[in-house]
């Protein structure tokens, strides 16, 4: 399975971006059982959880999100979406998609998000 992210880019504070992560090579019945998550890492910092969603649709967000981001999962398209609104300069980082199934974890290559004035 390969995770392919897209949707990063440059945006001004207060703007929005929609990140997408597609699981290529996964069959539908398997993907629907994945825990999916978005993490981010800024230079000189540790990678941190942004949002995650379980196979049952239970979501979890980092404390810094404060209602600005929404994670969703489209099993039919084997895709997880992170809608980010009201972006701040502190949100600048590389955003990574992660899948977890049992003891197996996979990471995408990352997509850069830059919020600048």
């Amino acid at each position: 399975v390969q995770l392919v992210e897209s949707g990063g880019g440059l945006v001004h504070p207060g703007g929005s971006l929609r990140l997408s992560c597609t699981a290529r090579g996964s069959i539908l019945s398997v993907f629907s059982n994945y825990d999916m998550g978005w993490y981010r890492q800024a230079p000189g910092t540790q990678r941190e959880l942004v949002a995650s969603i379980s196979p049952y649709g239970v979501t979890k967000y980092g404390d810094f999100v404060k209602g600005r981001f929404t994670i969703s999962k489209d099993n039919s398209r084997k895709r997880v979406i992170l809608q980010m609104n009201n972006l701040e300069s502190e949100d600048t980082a590389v955003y990574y998609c992660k899948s977890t199934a049992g003891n197996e974890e996979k990471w995408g290559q990352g997509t850069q998000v830059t919020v600048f004035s």
Side-chain angles (χ1 to χ4, degrees):
V1 174
Q2 181 183 15
L3 300 179
V4 180
E5 299 116 331
S6 62
L10 303 174
V11 65
H12 291 302
S16 297
L17 284 174
R18 184 173 179 264
L19 305 185
S20 177
C21 172
T22 301
R24 295 181 178 175
S26 171
I27 60 176
L28 181 58
S29 60
V30 175
F31 178 81
S32 63
N33 291 320
Y34 288 171
D35 279 291
M36 298 298 297
W38 285 97
Y39 291 73
R40 71 183 189 183
Q41 188 169 19
T45 70
Q46 290 187 330
R47 194 170 294 189
E48 62 181 348
L49 173 70
V50 179
S52 65
I53 185 166
S54 78
Y56 306 102
V58 178
T59 57
K60 181 179 178 181
Y61 294 92
D63 291 340
F64 58 86
V65 170
K66 299 179 181 177
R68 301 178 297 133
F69 301 171
T70 303
I71 189 170
S72 60
K73 193 180 181 194
D74 184 348
N75 288 327
S76 65
R77 297 184 177 183
K78 294 180 285 184
R79 182 184 304 173
V80 62
I81 303 294
L82 182 68
Q83 177 65 42
M84 303 189 294
N85 299 325
N86 196 20
L87 284 160
E88 304 168 351
S89 57
E90 292 78 11
D91 295 317
T92 295
V94 178
Y95 284 69
Y96 297 90
C97 177
K98 174 187 171 185
S99 70
T100 304
N103 294 324
E104 182 177 349
E105 293 181 352
K106 288 192 180 294
W107 292 88
Q109 80 286 355
T111 185
Q112 177 70 46
V113 170
T114 303
V115 185
F116 69 105
S117 299

